[in-house]
């Protein structure tokens, strides 16, 4: 805001004060007599005072004497405003009346522009004051009192408009300052907190563009806000610069590490140790991801080299596995043929022959070698079934001919015979008690003998 905008407008206070008293004399000048006996309106009401058109009846407001001097009827009597020597006195009076009407029209135009809002209130106030100041010596013929009251009304209206415009300017200035304050606070938040470098940078540029469109803030406030905004931008740029400098260092370290991983991957590409090498490639991939991003111009090239080494190894392993799978498929067919032969082994036809046949079959089985992984369970299961059948027959034969079991049966039988003999001897001797004890023990051992014989029989 300029000093001119903030300086008080001369005459506004005066014009406002002049409105505090009704313009009775100005209104009295509109009587049927056509004479304005008003001494001048110091104030105006809410309605604009009416100013008669002087050219309609110039003689109502002035006269021309025999010497050609022109007079206007003023509040304190007649006042000479000029002379007319060029023609008829009526023409001279009409000339000065038209000049009055021109002043009247000028005042009405000022008022109209104020009402429409198209005019500058300060300019209208200045122009109205100029008209009022010139009324005392104006070379015109007309109702000067009414015109003065009309001018005072315009001055008062212009003063109010100036005050209203000032309030509006202050409000607009406060609103614009608030907008810039909000932009500054947003910029400071971005500068201190944001890590979205691209979007935050774009937003700061957009804030600057918006800043340039906001006008009307007083210079002191605008400079203070601008310094804060500039400081925020500088802080953001420093943080962003430090971030990317650190990122460059990290990427340089990542580049070195990835170059080492590429070298190891290329060295492993010729390995035939499929399992260990495949596991190491998995570890290398984990280390690759942990290394971070290298500079873009080299990161893609390093990745392509790393993948190429991996692809080379796994292509070789795949080819080897395909060859092995073909060999394993042949082995599976051979083992199927061997199983078909083994399923003909019958332990019931001769246990020892069955055991020898199974032993030879197992040797041939091992010599054939591996089969495809998906066939292992099936083929091994069929072989286990044959082995269990022969082993079950062997175990059953062994249980039937177990010497220890036979010895226990003979021992139990001997004990039964022994206690039966003792019972018979005691009964012959008339020892009933001993005879009953011996018979009870013999009965117990018979039960054990029966159990042992049953166990041997069911093996």
């Amino acid at each position: 805001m300029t000093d001119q905008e903030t300086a008080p407008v001369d005459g506004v206070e005066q014009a406002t004060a002049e409105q505090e008293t009704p313009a009775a004399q100005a209104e009295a000048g509109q009587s049927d007599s056509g004479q304005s006996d008003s001494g001048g309106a110091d104030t105006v009401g809410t309605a604009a005072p009416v100013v008669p058109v002087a050219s309609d009846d110039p003689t109502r407001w002035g006269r021309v004497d025999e010497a050609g001097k022109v007079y206007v009827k003023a509040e304190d009597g007649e006042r000479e405003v000029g002379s007319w020597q060029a023609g008829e006195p009526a023409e001279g009076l009409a000339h000065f009346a038209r000049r009055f009407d021109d002043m009247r029209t000028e005042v009405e135009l000022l008022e109209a522009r104020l009402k429409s809002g198209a005019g500058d209130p300060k300019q209208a106030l200045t122009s109205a004051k100029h008209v009022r100041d010139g009324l005392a010596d104006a070379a015109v013929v007309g109702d000067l009192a009414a015109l003065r009251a009309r001018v005072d009304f315009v001055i008062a209206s212009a003063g109010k408009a100036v005050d209203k415009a000032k309030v509006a300017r202050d409000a607009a200035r406060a609103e614009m300052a608030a907008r810039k304050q909000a932009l500054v606070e947003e910029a400071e938040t971005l500068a201190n907190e944001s890590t979205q470098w691209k979007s935050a940078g774009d937003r700061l540029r957009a804030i600057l563009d918006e800043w340039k469109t906001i006008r009307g803030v007083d210079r002191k406030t605008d400079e203070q806000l601008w310094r804060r905004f500039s400081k925020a931008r500088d802080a953001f740029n420093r943080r962003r610069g430090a971030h990317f400098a650190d990122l460059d260092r990290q990427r340089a370290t990542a580049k070195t590490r990835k170059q080492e991983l590429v070298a190891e991957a290329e060295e492993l590409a010729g390995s035939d140790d499929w399992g260990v090498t495949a596991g190491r490639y998995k570890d290398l991939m984990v280390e690759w991801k942990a290394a971070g991003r290298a500079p873009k111009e080299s990161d893609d090239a390093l990745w392509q080299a790393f993948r190429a080494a991996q692809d080379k190894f796994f292509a070789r392993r795949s080819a080897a596995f395909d060859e092995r799978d073909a060999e394993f498929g042949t082995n599976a067919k051979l083992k199927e043929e061997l199983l078909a032969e083994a399923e003909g082994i019958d332990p019931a036809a001769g246990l020892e022959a069955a055991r020898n046949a199974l032993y030879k079959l197992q040797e041939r089985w091992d010599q054939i070698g591996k089969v495809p992984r998906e066939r292992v369970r099936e083929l091994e299961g069929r072989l286990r079934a044959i082995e269990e059948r022969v082993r079950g027959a062997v175990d059953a034969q062994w249980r039937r001919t177990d010497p220890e079991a036979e010895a226990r049966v003979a021992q139990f039988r001997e004990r039964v015979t022994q206690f039966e003999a003792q019972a018979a001897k005691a009964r012959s001797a008339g020892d009933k008690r001993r005879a009953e004890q011996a018979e009870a023990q013999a009965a117990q051992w018979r039960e054990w003998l029966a159990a042992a014989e049953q166990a041997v029989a069911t093996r």
Side-chain angles (χ1 to χ4, degrees), residues 166-200:
K166 183 177 183 301
V167 171
R169 283 197 304 273
D170 290 344
R173 185 177 292 112
E175 181 183 353
M176 296 301 102
R179 285 182 60 190
K180 285 196 171 182
Q181 174 75 23
L183 292 177
V184 166
E185 291 174 354
E186 182 183 355
E188 288 173 340
T189 299
L190 291 174
N192 295 328
E193 300 176 9
S194 179
T195 56
Q196 302 298 317
W197 307 112
K198 185 179 186 308
S199 61

Side-chain angles (χ1 to χ4, degrees), residues 102-124:
D102 289 342
M103 292 183 69
R104 173 183 175 277
T105 300
E106 180 182 354
V107 174
E108 289 178 346
L109 287 175
L110 289 174
E111 183 182 353
R113 284 197 291 270
L114 281 174
K115 288 182 178 179
S116 67
D120 179 7
K122 289 178 62 178
Q123 183 62 42

Side-chain angles (χ1 to χ4, degrees), residues 39-332:
D42 293 331
T43 60
V44 295
T46 56
V50 178
V51 182
V53 179
S55 58
D56 288 349
D57 186 6
T59 59
R60 181 181 177 186
W61 314 109
R63 68 183 179 85
V64 181
D65 65 8
E66 295 81 355
K69 293 180 180 180
V70 182
Y71 295 89
V72 64
K73 296 175 183 180
E75 299 169 358
D76 53 355
E78 290 186 333
R79 176 171 64 82
E80 183 181 347
V81 295
S83 64
W84 183 261
Q85 307 295 334
E88 293 297 326
E91 294 177 358
L93 199 60
H95 169 74
F96 283 93
R98 286 193 297 272
R99 293 180 66 178
F100 176 88
D101 289 341
D102 289 342
M103 292 183 69
R104 173 183 175 277
T105 300
E106 180 182 354
V107 174
E108 289 178 346
L109 287 175
L110 289 174
E111 183 182 353
R113 284 197 291 270
L114 281 174
K115 288 182 178 179
S116 67
D120 179 7
K122 289 178 62 178
Q123 183 62 42
L125 181 61
T126 301
S127 299
K129 287 181 177 181
H130 179 72
V131 172
R132 184 188 62 183
D133 294 342
L135 280 178
D137 300 321
V140 296
V141 172
D143 189 348
L144 294 176
L147 183 57
R148 181 179 179 83
R150 187 67 169 263
V151 171
D152 287 342
F153 178 84
V154 172
I155 289 174
S157 299
K160 291 181 179 179
V162 167
D163 291 341
K164 184 177 180 180
K166 183 177 183 301
V167 171
R169 283 197 304 273
D170 290 344
R173 185 177 292 112
E175 181 183 353
M176 296 301 102
R179 285 182 60 190
K180 285 196 171 182
Q181 174 75 23
L183 292 177
V184 166
E185 291 174 354
E186 182 183 355
E188 288 173 340
T189 299
L190 291 174
N192 295 328
E193 300 176 9
S194 179
T195 56
Q196 302 298 317
W197 307 112
K198 185 179 186 308
S199 61
D202 292 343
R203 178 55 189 156
L204 286 173
R205 284 189 290 273
I207 289 176
L208 178 59
D209 292 338
E210 184 177 351
W211 184 283
K212 294 176 181 177
T213 66
I214 302 174
R215 302 184 182 278
V217 182
D218 66 274
R219 180 175 299 177
K220 181 179 179 181
T221 301
D222 197 50
E223 289 177 351
Q224 291 174 346
L225 292 173
W226 175 252
R227 283 195 293 270
R228 287 176 59 187
F229 177 60
S230 297
K231 183 179 179 181
R233 284 202 306 168
D234 291 343
F236 174 79
N237 289 334
R238 284 194 299 272
R239 276 204 317 121
R240 181 173 60 178
H243 166 77
F244 283 108
D246 184 58
L247 191 61
D248 287 342
R249 289 191 293 271
Q250 293 177 10
R251 288 179 174 176
T253 302
K255 178 181 179 181
T256 300
R257 178 57 184 147
K258 286 186 173 181
Q259 287 172 336
E260 295 172 353
L261 295 175
V262 168
E264 183 176 353
E266 290 175 341
E267 182 178 353
L268 290 172
S271 173
D272 293 334
D273 192 352
W274 310 119
V276 174
T277 305
R280 181 53 186 157
Y281 270 119
K282 290 181 180 179
D283 294 340
L284 289 179
M285 179 63 74
V286 173
E287 294 176 29
W288 183 277
K289 294 177 180 178
R293 288 189 61 82
K296 184 171 179 57
E297 63 274 8
S298 57
D299 201 52
D300 292 343
L302 288 170
W303 173 247
Q304 294 301 325
F306 183 74
R307 285 297 303 273
Q310 278 189 315
D311 291 346
K312 180 179 178 181
F313 168 78
F314 285 108
R316 291 180 56 250
R317 188 184 72 163
S318 179
F321 283 3
D322 289 344
E323 181 179 351
R324 184 195 63 183
D325 288 344
E327 176 185 348
F328 285 1
T330 301
N331 292 346

